């Protein structure tokens, strides 16, 4: 059963009325903003000087690549999106953009983002961006999402790669720091999306997506959220004692990590009624702030060191 | 087929509505802007890299 129904007269040629706003919606702008931010952090943390034009080009290509992934994801998931209240307003289920149009749009953006990054910056970064798009669209969207409850755990790798792509764009090589950034986002993804899945359980069940709460039940999901949050907090703090990030980051990761842990414990303990729903929504909202604040601390550190090195 | 019986869309071709024309114009402008940005980007990077523009890893 679909939440939205649209009927197209097959006898008449279909002429698109899709506007620019519909195509922008295909890019998943909110996801893209997080990608831009994490990639920016990866870029500014990279050692050495990157010319601002090349830095801008790198971030633009990564952003467009993320947008391409979003469009290709919506192309493939039109049937699922129509069944979920959260996604029923997307351009394809609403009938504003057809699936072939979304496919063409996504493929064009993917091609240009990868080729531009490769030609103008370096081919390591271009190749890694191509792999990221491939991983998100083929591995996550086409293979994992409808097949296993571990979909967002493995698929989370695609969302964790943008800072690595940016680092490689800036340096032409890989190092421990971008891998740490990758691990933080990778382990952040399960508690974030499972919190969402807990209060959108009916949506996912209706669409037949085997999210953990649908397959294993809410209680097993609450335990998994808590376990992944413990691992996340440990991994996020670790770069400080290991000497990769400094004490200000260490303090921020401890305070923010404590917040995540308290909220995850709350989700684990409160299992019934409005309190349970409130706890999962709080964790979901705070997890976004957590990642943003953690990366903002790293960004701030680099900026302050460059502008006023005596402060930091 | 008798000319009188021919459907309007076949006789006159496809006639776009105002909404379709407006959205097509919007999309055309967006594509033009995107191409413009791409041209400017390639020009700017060429200027930044100078003769080294052809020297890239791999």
């Amino acid at each position: 059963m679909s939440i939205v129904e649209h009927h197209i007269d097959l006898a008449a040629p279909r002429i698109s009325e899709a506007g620019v706003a519909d195509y922008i919606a295909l890019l998943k702008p909110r996801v893209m903003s997080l990608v831009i931010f994490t990639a920016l952090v990866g870029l500014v943390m990279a050692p050495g000087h990157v010319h601002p034009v090349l830095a801008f080009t790198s971030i633009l290509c990564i952003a467009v690549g993320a947008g391409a992934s979003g469009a290709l994801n919506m192309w493939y998931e039109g049937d699922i999106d129509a069944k979920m209240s959260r996604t029923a307003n997307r351009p394809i289920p609403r009938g504003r953009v057809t699936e072939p149009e979304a496919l063409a749009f996504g493929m064009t953006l993917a091609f240009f983002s990868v080729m531009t990054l490769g030609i103008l910056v370096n081919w390591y970064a271009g190749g890694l961006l191509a792999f990221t798009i491939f991983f998100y669209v083929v591995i996550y969207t086409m293979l994992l999402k409808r097949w296993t409850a571990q979909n967002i755990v493995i698929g989370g790798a695609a969302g964790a790669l943008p800072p690595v792509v940016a680092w490689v764009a800036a340096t032409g090589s890989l190092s421990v720091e971008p891998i740490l950034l990758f691990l933080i986002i990778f382990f952040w993804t399960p508690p974030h999306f499972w919190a969402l899945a807990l209060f959108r359980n009916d949506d996912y069940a209706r669409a037949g997506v085997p999210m953990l709460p649908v397959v294993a039940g809410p209680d097993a999901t609450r335990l998994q959220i808590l376990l992944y949050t413990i691992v996340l907090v440990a991994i996020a703090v670790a770069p400080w004692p290991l000497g990769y990030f400094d004490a200000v980051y260490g303090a921020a990761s401890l305070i923010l990590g404590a917040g995540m842990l308290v909220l995850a414990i709350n989700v684990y303990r409160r299992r019934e009624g409005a309190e349970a729903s409130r706890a999962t929504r709080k964790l979901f909202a705070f997890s976004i702030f957590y990642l943003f604040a953690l990366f903002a601390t790293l960004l701030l550190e680099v900026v302050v060191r460059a502008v006023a090195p005596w402060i930091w | 087929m008798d000319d009188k019986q021919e459907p309007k869309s076949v006789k006159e071709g496809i006639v776009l509505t105002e909404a379709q024309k407006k959205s097509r114009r919007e999309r055309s402008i967006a594509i033009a802007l995107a191409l413009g940005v791409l041209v400017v980007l390639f020009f700017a990077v060429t200027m930044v890299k100078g003769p080294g523009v052809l020297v890239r890893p791999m």
Side-chain angles (χ1 to χ4, degrees), chain B residues 4-55:
Chain B
K4 280 178 187 170
Q5 290 174 335
E6 213 170 329
K8 196 179 172 189
S9 61
V10 174
K11 208 164 60 179
E12 298 175 6
I14 295 165
V15 181
L16 299 186
T17 64
E18 280 310 307
Q20 287 165 344
K21 279 184 192 167
K22 186 173 173 284
S23 60
R24 186 178 65 174
R25 184 175 159 74
E26 252 184 47
R27 294 195 301 269
S28 301
I29 291 170
I31 292 170
L33 286 175
L35 284 173
V37 168
L38 201 62
V39 170
V40 171
L41 204 63
F42 271 77
F43 178 76
V45 173
T46 308
M47 290 296 106
V48 166
K49 288 195 169 181
V53 72
L54 293 175
V55 182

Side-chain angles (χ1 to χ4, degrees), chain A residues 42-307:
Chain A
L43 193 87
V44 298
M45 281 183 67
H49 173 73
V50 186
H51 193 285
V53 171
L54 291 179
F56 172 78
T57 304
S58 304
I59 296 295
L60 182 69
C61 289
I62 293 168
V64 174
S69 305
L72 292 170
N73 171 271
M74 286 197 206
W75 155 69
Y76 196 77
E77 292 191 344
D79 58 331
I80 293 179
D81 287 348
K83 292 173 185 164
M84 296 174 60
S85 57
R86 187 175 71 90
T87 53
N89 264 336
R90 285 177 173 174
I92 292 176
R94 270 199 306 145
R96 296 286 298 171
V97 178
T98 63
E99 285 171 357
E101 284 165 353
L103 174 64
F105 182 59
M107 290 301 287
T108 305
L109 293 186
F111 175 81
F112 275 98
S113 60
V114 169
M115 293 305 286
T116 305
L117 189 61
I119 291 169
L120 296 185
V121 182
N122 68 60
W123 282 107
Y124 300 119
L128 198 55
L129 181 63
F131 174 74
T132 307
I133 297 169
F134 168 81
F135 198 91
Y136 186 74
V137 177
V138 178
I139 307 294
Y140 169 68
T141 305
M142 294 182 177
L143 298 178
L144 297 171
K145 185 155 182 182
R146 299 172 197 235
W147 175 57
T148 168
Q150 296 300 311
N151 48 16
I152 52 109
V153 178
I154 308 163
L161 277 169
V164 184
V165 179
W167 181 286
V168 173
T171 63
S173 64
L174 205 52
S175 179
V176 175
E177 292 90 334
I179 294 171
L180 291 171
L181 298 180
F182 171 89
L183 288 174
I184 291 169
I185 303 174
F186 184 79
F187 282 98
W188 167 87
T189 307
H192 171 76
F193 277 104
W194 283 336
L196 172 75
L198 272 178
F199 63 82
R200 293 283 187 189
N201 197 13
D202 293 346
D203 249 8
Y204 284 112
R206 194 186 313 123
V209 180
M211 293 297 281
L212 195 61
V214 177
V215 175
D219 290 350
T221 307
R222 288 188 165 89
L223 177 64
Q224 291 292 319
I225 286 176
L226 183 59
L227 294 176
Y228 269 94
T229 304
I230 292 168
V231 176
L232 165 67
V233 172
I235 283 177
V237 173
W240 167 46
L242 291 174
Y244 288 104
F245 305 153
D246 72 4
V248 176
Y249 169 85
S253 65
L254 279 173
I255 295 165
L256 291 164
M260 274 295 283
L261 270 176
V262 167
L263 292 173
I265 291 168
N266 237 3
V267 168
Y268 182 71
R269 290 178 60 193
R270 298 177 200 281
R271 300 180 175 207
E272 298 291 333
E275 274 198 342
S277 172
R278 225 179 355 259
T280 50
R281 283 170 194 273
K282 269 187 186 171
L283 177 65
F284 176 74
F286 185 80
S287 66
I288 298 170
F289 172 74
Y290 172 83
L291 193 68
F292 174 79
L294 216 54
F295 275 67
T297 309
L298 291 168
L299 186 65
L300 196 68
E301 178 186 337
V302 177
V303 172
V304 172
R305 278 200 175 144
V307 178

